[in-house]
Amino acid sequence: MGVKAVHRITTGRNGLGAFILQCKKMDFHYCDWAGSSKGMNGFIKSILPKFAAAHPQIEFTVSPRPSKHPVITGHYINGRDKAICVRNLEPLQILKKVELLRDASGEKLKKVTKPVQSINESVRGIWSPYHGNGMRV
Amino acid sequence: MKRLRIDPRWPIQLARPVPAGAAPSCCSQIHAALRTFRPDQPFRAVRHQSTSALTLDSALEAAAADEPYDDGTDHVRFPPLERLPNATKLPSPLPERALTSAKLAALHARLSLPQKLPLQTLARALVDVSADENPLFNNVNLAFVGQTITHYHVAEWLMCRYPRLPMTIMYAAMKAYAGDEILHSVARSWGVESAAEPGGEVDPGLLQFSMYKPVSHIGFGYGRKDNSQVEQGRWRRGIANRVLFDDDFGEQIGHDTRKKAQIPTSSQRTFSYGTEETRAAAERAHAAAVRAVVGSVYAHCGREAGKAFIRAHILSRTIDVSTLFEFKSPVVELARLCQREDFEPPVARLLSETGRLSRTPVFVVGIFSGKDKLGEAVAGNLDHARYKAAMNSLKSWYLYSPGESVRVPSEMLVEGSKAWEPTYIDIGEIIHG
């Protein structure tokens, strides 16, 4: 045959067609005795129901973790998870942490130095010494 | 490409789902009765009363078992945090449990599935044939519908976008967009988790499949009369033969190539989990789940919703089709192409060079047909540069595209669409050798 084929697969581009929120589950652990969990208990009673209703694509779990600080764990589609201890925080501060978890992808935090990250090659192309007017020495 | 299995002019709308407030006990009895229904067995007017009663009663008993689920822990000292499911001998969870599963509802919302698609159908789409053999409760039929629709839309989009693509490359592109490996990846990107072992007590939001049961998933095509002759290499299996007989990826039906995972064995990838068979089983189950979701969107929400779903989740993915090519004798092929198209015969010319006698020479070779440059390439020696230039010329021919947003024939099924202008259809690829 003239042309053989190489086996390759496509790359997904989240958001181009459909957008999949990367946070798929959030666990909320509270304690009825510890004073550090006061804000968390208030958050679960007052703010969490509305937040959960606004994010139907996230699975929420609320469970007691006695004698421990309150913790929120976010589970992501890439299999990793992120835990944030919310001891001694007010409900609105806890909401900020929850929004942080919701907006994160599961990737490890990386320092970004370049302005553009893309899978496409450059539009103007890479300079070549063999094309164009060459180099006059 | 093959003819369409299901005519998209006929939107299949299923009946409205049972509302959540409906009597659950009678539902479970009906579902249990359906479990004993074997559509493959011939209808018998006279039935033995005892045997039918036995099967129906045992099924009802299994469904309505009320003893608490025994997971080996002390439920008095450590009361369970959630209401545990009842112990059951059923192979997959009852459909009404789909309404109380948080994972399933989250999956439904994450995919932005329309409200017309009930949770019960989504739960059914996650039950593989290796988990439950009963076709009324597994995703086999939904997966078949979804596979047909997916392959149709992917094929039509590829053909309209790359009208000159050779058939082998078309098969590879189809596989890259709609094959088992990529749909497995799509399922994982949706956050579909799988149960460790299938059973009636698992969460309905988990993908249920068994890694150890050898089951064959449905393909569509024709088996050749003498597969053994083809395997031994005595009979040719050319491209036209493949278009006629094989499935949409050019692979043989009824041939045991599906045992292995789609990842080629010559690749350098090593896995730290499972065996070849278990990985292949997981891949097939995940791919079937994605196809079943597509099929359920088509069935409940209509033809255009199915097409939009495929465009959003499958066709939005990207691949550089030029990387799929592997040429055998590109110089000869290019000469034949120019001969067929009545171009002047191709001539390779050196455009620029440097360092011919040094350790690292660079030659820029262009292939010209008369005064037109068909392609060029850079390499370390003259022959390699000529071959590469021929490959680039052939790629520039085969990869001609009228654009990404080209009109496809299925747009004409929409009412009020503009008059159809014929898309570019190519005469065919170069055949030689």
Side-chain angles (χ1 to χ4, degrees):
Chain A
M1 303 303 152
V3 189
K4 274 169 68 179
V6 178
H7 172 86
R8 271 187 224 283
I9 53 172
T10 50
T11 316
R13 299 179 290 187
N14 195 17
L16 202 82
F19 175 65
I20 311 278
L21 190 72
Q22 291 300 297
C23 183
K24 64 180 181 189
K25 186 179 185 210
M26 273 205 221
D27 303 329
F28 293 81
H29 297 292
Y30 66 94
C31 173
D32 284 319
W33 165 82
S36 56
S37 186
K38 210 169 68 169
M40 177 61 134
N41 295 3
F43 174 84
I44 290 171
K45 280 183 210 156
S46 58
I47 303 180
L48 184 58
K50 274 205 215 111
F51 187 87
H55 298 85
Q57 63 266 58
I58 307 176
E59 185 193 347
F60 290 90
T61 314
V62 179
S63 55
R65 199 163 173 242
S67 309
K68 295 284 181 191
H69 283 313
V71 163
I72 315 170
T73 310
H75 301 268
Y76 297 91
I77 282 178
N78 66 351
R80 296 189 73 246
D81 47 38
K82 285 171 117 142
I84 300 183
C85 175
V86 293
R87 64 177 188 268
N88 297 324
L89 291 183
E90 294 303 315
L92 286 175
Q93 292 174 306
I94 296 179
L95 177 63
K96 284 191 82 173
K97 295 294 181 195
V98 170
E99 283 170 355
L100 190 152
L101 284 177
R102 173 204 62 192
D103 296 336
S105 78
E107 300 296 325
K108 283 193 192 174
L109 295 177
K110 252 188 265 188
K111 185 178 171 198
V112 176
T113 47
K114 309 285 179 193
V116 175
Q117 283 173 311
S118 172
I119 58 173
N120 302 320
E121 59 212 19
S122 64
V123 175
R124 293 177 56 196
I126 312 248
W127 175 83
S128 157
Y130 311 111
H131 300 90
N133 298 325
M135 284 188 296
R136 290 184 63 82
V137 180
Chain B
M1 216 61 187
K2 290 228 186 84
R3 59 192 175 281
L4 182 63
R5 256 66 73 192
I6 294 175
D7 196 323
R9 283 174 297 175
W10 309 326
I12 303 167
Q13 298 278 349
L14 293 184
R16 280 203 214 103
V18 174
S25 55
C26 81
C27 263
S28 52
Q29 285 181 4
I30 293 168
H31 291 136
L34 282 172
R35 292 250 165 226
T36 61
F37 168 66
R38 295 299 305 254
D40 49 289
Q41 282 172 1
F43 175 75
R44 285 197 200 90
V46 177
R47 284 222 210 135
H48 294 289
Q49 187 62 31
S50 51
T51 46
S52 65
L54 255 175
T55 46
L56 189 60
D57 280 345
S58 60
L60 282 171
E61 193 185 283
D66 265 334
E67 65 256 24
Y69 182 69
D70 180 27
D71 57 354
T73 58
D74 186 353
H75 286 190
V76 174
R77 262 190 90 193
F78 307 104
L81 297 171
E82 55 183 353
R83 197 186 61 206
L84 295 172
N86 294 332
T88 171
K89 293 197 181 69
L90 293 174
S92 63
L94 285 171
E96 60 258 24
R97 279 192 57 216
L99 299 167
T100 53
S101 164
K103 247 188 245 292
L104 193 67
L107 180 65
H108 194 289
R110 201 177 304 132
L111 301 178
S112 312
L113 295 174
Q115 287 306 313
K116 270 200 228 172
L117 199 156
L119 287 168
Q120 292 92 332
T121 310
L122 188 62
R124 184 179 165 185
L126 294 174
V127 178
D128 192 48
V129 64
S130 53
D132 189 348
E133 277 173 4
N134 193 329
L136 292 167
F137 294 94
N138 65 20
N139 67 5
V140 161
N141 295 327
L142 286 171
F144 183 68
V145 172
Q147 178 183 287
T148 310
I149 303 296
T150 311
H151 290 191
Y152 172 72
H153 284 293
V154 171
E156 113 180 314
W157 187 78
L158 280 172
M159 282 182 169
C160 290
R161 195 176 166 197
Y162 297 110
R164 286 190 189 142
L165 214 57
M167 204 58 210
T168 41
I169 312 296
M170 176 63 73
Y171 280 143
M174 279 286 294
K175 217 168 169 188
Y177 275 100
D180 274 1
E181 192 185 346
I182 195 63
L183 291 184
H184 170 218
S185 184
V186 167
R188 288 207 187 267
S189 79
W190 287 352
V192 170
E193 293 160 27
S194 55
E197 276 296 318
E201 74 284 352
V202 304
D203 190 317
L206 297 171
L207 173 66
Q208 297 138 56
F209 69 98
S210 170
M211 286 188 287
Y212 310 106
K213 253 174 134 185
V215 285
S216 57
H217 289 73
I218 289 181
F220 192 98
Y222 299 94
R224 290 181 179 75
K225 262 192 212 164
D226 255 325
N227 256 338
S228 57
Q229 297 286 339
V230 176
E231 275 167 50
Q232 287 161 26
R234 290 213 190 107
W235 288 3
R236 266 183 36 165
R237 195 175 135 239
I239 298 293
N241 212 256
R242 267 189 256 183
V243 171
L244 198 60
F245 286 111
D246 296 337
D247 68 4
D248 290 331
F249 307 128
E251 278 152 14
Q252 271 183 280
I253 308 279
H255 195 58
D256 240 347
T257 48
R258 286 194 183 267
K259 235 198 272 175
K260 289 197 169 167
Q262 304 284 302
I263 307 152
T265 46
S266 59
S267 74
Q268 297 302 313
R269 290 169 73 174
T270 51
F271 298 91
S272 57
Y273 61 93
T275 66
E276 190 82 48
E277 281 77 26
T278 57
R279 284 196 292 269
E283 194 178 272
R284 280 197 302 270
H286 281 81
V290 171
R291 292 179 176 129
V293 172
V294 173
S296 49
V297 169
Y298 175 83
H300 283 282
C301 313
R303 181 195 67 227
E304 291 305 313
K307 180 178 176 182
F309 190 84
I310 292 168
R311 286 227 157 188
H313 285 102
I314 295 174
L315 289 176
S316 66
R317 302 177 80 89
T318 181
I319 186 174
D320 188 2
V321 186
S322 67
T323 58
L324 297 175
F325 284 81
E326 188 182 312
F327 292 98
K328 201 171 154 199
S329 40
V331 179
V332 175
E333 203 170 321
L334 182 61
R336 292 262 170 101
L337 174 67
C338 293
Q339 199 179 36
R340 188 186 78 178
E341 298 297 320
D342 281 329
F343 297 156
E344 293 187 36
V347 175
R349 296 209 173 98
L350 190 58
L351 296 174
S352 74
E353 61 162 304
T354 181
R356 184 183 279 251
L357 299 175
S358 75
R359 184 184 175 275
T360 47
V362 175
F363 299 102
V364 183
V365 168
I367 296 207
F368 290 81
S369 164
K371 283 200 179 143
D372 307 318
K373 185 164 81 172
L374 302 176
E376 76 164 45
V378 183
N381 56 353
L382 286 163
D383 278 330
H384 191 193
R386 185 161 60 103
Y387 288 139
K388 276 176 83 173
M391 287 187 242
N392 286 342
S393 315
L394 284 169
K395 276 190 196 176
S396 72
W397 174 265
Y398 285 135
L399 289 172
Y400 159 73
S401 172
E404 201 175 310
S405 53
V406 64
R407 286 189 81 195
V408 289
S410 59
E411 279 180 30
M412 297 310 294
L413 296 168
V414 178
E415 278 176 18
S417 47
K418 286 187 287 193
W420 176 251
E421 282 167 23
T423 53
Y424 178 76
I425 297 177
D426 189 52
I427 184 178
E429 57 195 275
I430 306 295
I431 301 166
H432 75 281

